[in-house]
Protein backbone atom coordinates (compact mmCIF):
# COMPACT_ATOMS: atom_id res chain seq x y z
CA UNK A 1 0.00 0.00 0.00
CA UNK A 2 2.54 2.54 -1.23
CA UNK A 3 5.00 1.60 1.49
CA UNK A 4 8.71 1.79 0.59
CA UNK A 5 9.30 -1.81 1.74
CA UNK A 6 12.61 -2.25 -0.09
CA UNK A 7 14.06 0.91 1.41
CA UNK A 8 12.90 -0.04 4.89
CA UNK A 9 14.46 -3.49 4.61
CA UNK A 10 17.74 -2.05 3.36
CA UNK A 11 17.75 0.40 6.26
CA UNK A 12 16.88 -2.30 8.80
CA UNK A 13 19.28 -5.03 7.63
CA UNK A 14 22.00 -3.01 5.90
CA UNK A 15 22.24 -5.26 2.86
CA UNK A 16 21.00 -5.28 -0.75
CA UNK A 17 17.29 -6.14 -1.11
CA UNK A 18 15.41 -7.29 -4.19
CA UNK A 19 11.63 -7.49 -4.18
CA UNK A 20 9.94 -9.61 -6.79
CA UNK A 21 7.97 -12.72 -7.66
CA UNK A 22 8.78 -15.61 -5.31
CA UNK A 23 9.61 -18.14 -8.04
CA UNK A 24 11.78 -15.65 -9.94
CA UNK A 25 13.72 -14.82 -6.80
CA UNK A 26 14.01 -18.50 -5.90
CA UNK A 27 15.51 -19.13 -9.35
CA UNK A 28 18.04 -16.36 -8.71
CA UNK A 29 18.80 -17.84 -5.31
CA UNK A 30 19.44 -21.27 -6.81
CA UNK A 31 21.61 -19.72 -9.50
CA UNK A 32 23.73 -17.88 -6.99
CA UNK A 33 23.74 -20.15 -3.93
CA UNK A 34 22.13 -23.49 -4.76
CA UNK A 35 21.86 -26.24 -7.33
CA UNK A 36 22.33 -23.81 -10.21
CA UNK A 37 25.58 -22.29 -8.96
CA UNK A 38 27.84 -21.72 -11.96
CA UNK A 39 25.13 -22.50 -14.50
CA UNK A 40 24.41 -20.30 -17.47
CA UNK A 41 20.84 -21.50 -17.98
CA UNK A 42 18.31 -22.64 -15.38
CA UNK A 43 14.62 -23.45 -15.25
CA UNK A 44 13.00 -23.30 -11.81
CA UNK A 45 9.51 -24.69 -11.39
CA UNK A 46 7.56 -24.64 -8.14
CA UNK A 47 4.35 -26.55 -7.62
CA UNK A 48 2.10 -25.95 -4.63
CA UNK A 49 -1.22 -24.13 -4.41
CA UNK A 50 -0.27 -22.75 -7.82
CA UNK A 51 2.51 -23.27 -10.32
CA UNK A 52 5.25 -20.72 -10.70
CA UNK A 53 8.58 -20.56 -12.38
CA UNK A 54 11.75 -18.67 -12.94
CA UNK A 55 13.89 -18.86 -16.07
CA UNK A 56 17.54 -17.91 -16.26
CA UNK A 57 19.06 -17.64 -19.73
CA UNK A 58 22.65 -16.63 -20.29
CA UNK A 59 22.90 -15.87 -16.57
CA UNK A 60 20.03 -13.38 -16.61
CA UNK A 61 16.55 -13.68 -15.17
CA UNK A 62 13.93 -13.50 -17.92
CA UNK A 63 11.22 -11.07 -16.87
CA UNK A 64 9.58 -10.00 -20.10
CA UNK A 65 7.80 -6.72 -20.72
CA UNK A 66 5.46 -7.05 -17.72
CA UNK A 67 7.58 -9.26 -15.49
CA UNK A 68 5.47 -12.29 -16.38
CA UNK A 69 7.82 -14.15 -18.73
CA UNK A 70 8.06 -17.23 -16.52
CA UNK A 71 4.48 -17.58 -15.31
CA UNK A 72 4.74 -21.27 -16.14
CA UNK A 73 1.44 -22.13 -14.50
CA UNK A 74 -0.34 -20.05 -17.10
CA UNK A 75 0.99 -21.93 -20.09
CA UNK A 76 -1.69 -23.66 -22.12
CA UNK A 77 -1.76 -27.38 -21.26
CA UNK A 78 -4.92 -28.35 -23.15
CA UNK A 79 -7.70 -26.66 -25.05
CA UNK A 80 -10.61 -28.07 -23.07
CA UNK A 81 -9.32 -28.50 -19.51
CA UNK A 82 -10.41 -27.02 -16.22
CA UNK A 83 -10.83 -23.27 -15.75
CA UNK A 84 -7.78 -21.62 -14.19
CA UNK A 85 -8.02 -19.10 -11.36
CA UNK A 86 -7.13 -16.41 -13.90
CA UNK A 87 -10.27 -17.29 -15.87
CA UNK A 88 -8.64 -19.05 -18.83
CA UNK A 89 -9.26 -22.68 -19.78
CA UNK A 90 -6.64 -25.43 -19.73
CA UNK A 91 -3.71 -23.69 -18.04
CA UNK A 92 -1.10 -25.93 -16.43
CA UNK A 93 -1.98 -24.56 -12.99
CA UNK A 94 -5.62 -25.63 -13.48
CA UNK A 95 -4.48 -29.19 -14.14
CA UNK A 96 -1.33 -29.87 -12.08
CA UNK A 97 -1.28 -27.56 -9.03
CA UNK A 98 -2.00 -28.95 -5.57
CA UNK A 99 -5.70 -28.01 -5.53
CA UNK A 100 -6.09 -29.36 -9.07
CA UNK A 101 -4.51 -32.68 -8.09
CA UNK A 102 -6.97 -32.94 -5.18
CA UNK A 103 -9.89 -32.08 -7.48
CA UNK A 104 -8.82 -34.81 -9.94
CA UNK A 105 -8.64 -37.40 -7.14
CA UNK A 106 -12.05 -36.37 -5.79
CA UNK A 107 -13.57 -36.66 -9.27
CA UNK A 108 -12.17 -40.18 -9.72
CA UNK A 109 -13.37 -41.21 -6.25
CA UNK A 110 -16.87 -39.90 -7.02
CA UNK A 111 -16.80 -41.97 -10.22
CA UNK A 112 -16.30 -45.05 -8.03
CA UNK A 113 -12.63 -45.76 -8.66
CA UNK A 114 -11.32 -47.91 -5.79
CA UNK A 115 -8.88 -46.29 -3.37
CA UNK A 116 -7.90 -46.42 0.27
CA UNK A 117 -8.77 -42.69 0.31
CA UNK A 118 -12.47 -43.54 0.06
CA UNK A 119 -12.30 -44.67 3.72
CA UNK A 120 -11.07 -41.27 4.95
CA UNK A 121 -13.55 -39.17 6.97
CA UNK A 122 -15.45 -36.82 4.67
CA UNK A 123 -14.22 -38.55 1.52
CA UNK A 124 -14.27 -37.69 -1.26
CA UNK A 125 -15.25 -34.07 -0.66
CA UNK A 126 -12.53 -33.35 1.87
CA UNK A 127 -9.62 -35.14 0.15
CA UNK A 128 -6.47 -32.97 0.12
CA UNK A 129 -3.14 -33.26 -1.62
CA UNK A 130 -1.70 -34.30 1.74
CA UNK A 131 -4.14 -37.22 1.83
CA UNK A 132 -3.15 -38.11 -1.72
CA UNK A 133 0.54 -37.96 -0.87
CA UNK A 134 0.13 -40.20 2.16
CA UNK A 135 -1.97 -42.69 0.18
CA UNK A 136 0.63 -42.69 -2.61
CA UNK A 137 3.37 -43.48 -0.11
CA UNK A 138 1.28 -46.45 1.01
CA UNK A 139 0.99 -47.66 -2.59
CA UNK A 140 -2.55 -46.51 -3.40
CA UNK A 141 -2.85 -46.85 -7.22
CA UNK A 142 -5.33 -43.97 -7.63
CA UNK A 143 -3.17 -41.59 -5.59
CA UNK A 144 -0.04 -42.55 -7.50
CA UNK A 145 -1.84 -42.23 -10.82
CA UNK A 146 -3.15 -38.73 -10.05
CA UNK A 147 0.34 -37.55 -9.04
CA UNK A 148 1.99 -39.17 -12.04
CA UNK A 149 -0.59 -37.57 -14.36
CA UNK A 150 0.23 -34.13 -12.92
CA UNK A 151 3.97 -34.74 -13.28
CA UNK A 152 3.60 -35.93 -16.85
CA UNK A 153 1.51 -32.92 -17.91
CA UNK A 154 4.16 -30.66 -16.37
CA UNK A 155 6.78 -32.55 -18.33
CA UNK A 156 4.85 -32.24 -21.55
CA UNK A 157 4.01 -28.56 -21.26
CA UNK A 158 7.39 -27.36 -20.01
CA UNK A 159 9.25 -29.60 -22.45
CA UNK A 160 7.05 -28.50 -25.36
CA UNK A 161 7.01 -24.77 -24.81
CA UNK A 162 10.23 -23.76 -23.04
CA UNK A 163 13.04 -24.61 -25.37
CA UNK A 164 15.39 -21.74 -24.45
CA UNK A 165 18.99 -22.89 -24.53
CA UNK A 166 18.13 -25.80 -22.27
CA UNK A 167 17.80 -29.17 -23.98
CA UNK A 168 14.17 -30.29 -24.05
CA UNK A 169 15.15 -33.78 -23.03
CA UNK A 170 16.81 -32.47 -19.88
CA UNK A 171 13.65 -30.67 -18.77
CA UNK A 172 11.38 -33.55 -19.75
CA UNK A 173 13.55 -36.17 -18.07
CA UNK A 174 13.81 -34.13 -14.87
CA UNK A 175 10.05 -33.66 -14.64
CA UNK A 176 9.33 -37.31 -15.48
CA UNK A 177 11.80 -38.38 -12.80
CA UNK A 178 10.14 -36.03 -10.37
CA UNK A 179 6.73 -37.53 -11.13
CA UNK A 180 8.06 -40.90 -9.92
CA UNK A 181 9.65 -39.66 -6.70
CA UNK A 182 7.99 -40.30 -3.38
CA UNK A 183 9.45 -37.10 -1.92
CA UNK A 184 7.11 -35.03 -4.09
CA UNK A 185 4.12 -36.71 -2.54
CA UNK A 186 5.09 -35.49 0.91
CA UNK A 187 5.26 -31.74 0.31
CA UNK A 188 5.19 -28.87 -2.14
CA UNK A 189 8.09 -29.42 -4.49
CA UNK A 190 10.48 -27.45 -6.58
CA UNK A 191 12.13 -28.55 -9.80
CA UNK A 192 15.43 -27.10 -10.82
CA UNK A 193 16.86 -27.98 -14.21
CA UNK A 194 20.36 -26.74 -14.92
Amino acid sequence: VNMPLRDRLIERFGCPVVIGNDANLAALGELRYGAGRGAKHLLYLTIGTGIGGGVIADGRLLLGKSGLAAELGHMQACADGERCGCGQIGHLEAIASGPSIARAARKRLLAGEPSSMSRLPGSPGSITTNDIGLAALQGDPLARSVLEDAGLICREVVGRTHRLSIADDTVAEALAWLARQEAMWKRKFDVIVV
Side-chain angles (χ1 to χ4, degrees), residues 132-156:
I132 297 164
L134 292 173
L137 287 171
Q138 295 169 1
D140 185 277
L142 186 151
R144 286 183 177 256
S145 173
V146 169
L147 290 170
E148 288 171 3
D149 289 349
L152 291 173
I153 195 71
C154 287
R155 169 192 168 181
E156 178 186 328

Side-chain angles (χ1 to χ4, degrees), residues 36 45 83 118:
L45 180 67
R83 184 170 301 278
S118 63

Side-chain angles (χ1 to χ4, degrees), residues 173-191:
E173 288 169 18
L175 290 169
W177 172 86
L178 182 68
R180 296 187 301 269
Q181 301 309 303
E182 290 187 357
M184 77 171 256
W185 299 329
K186 292 182 181 177
R187 62 177 180 83
K188 172 187 143 185
F189 60 92
D190 299 328
V191 178

Side-chain angles (χ1 to χ4, degrees), residues 20-123:
N21 173 283
D22 59 344
N24 284 338
L25 296 179
L28 285 173
E30 287 296 338
L31 180 70
R32 187 159 192 180
Y33 302 107
R37 192 177 310 168
K40 196 172 181 183
H41 311 291
L42 181 140
L43 173 88
Y44 184 92
L45 180 67
T46 182
I47 302 173
T49 55
I51 295 181
V55 178
I56 308 289
D58 291 322
R60 296 179 53 128
L61 179 65
L62 297 183
L63 293 174
K65 182 178 180 183
S66 304
L68 303 174
E71 286 297 326
L72 304 177
H74 295 288
M75 294 187 305
Q76 191 73 30
C78 64
D80 59 353
E82 299 284 340
R83 184 170 301 278
C84 183
C86 73
Q88 298 298 311
I89 301 290
H91 281 178
L92 181 60
E93 188 168 298
I95 298 167
S97 66
S100 300
I101 291 169
R103 183 175 52 243
R106 287 191 296 266
K107 189 181 286 188
R108 288 171 63 175
L109 285 166
L110 283 170
E113 193 167 332
S115 169
S116 62
M117 294 183 293
S118 63
R119 294 187 297 271
L120 293 173
S123 177

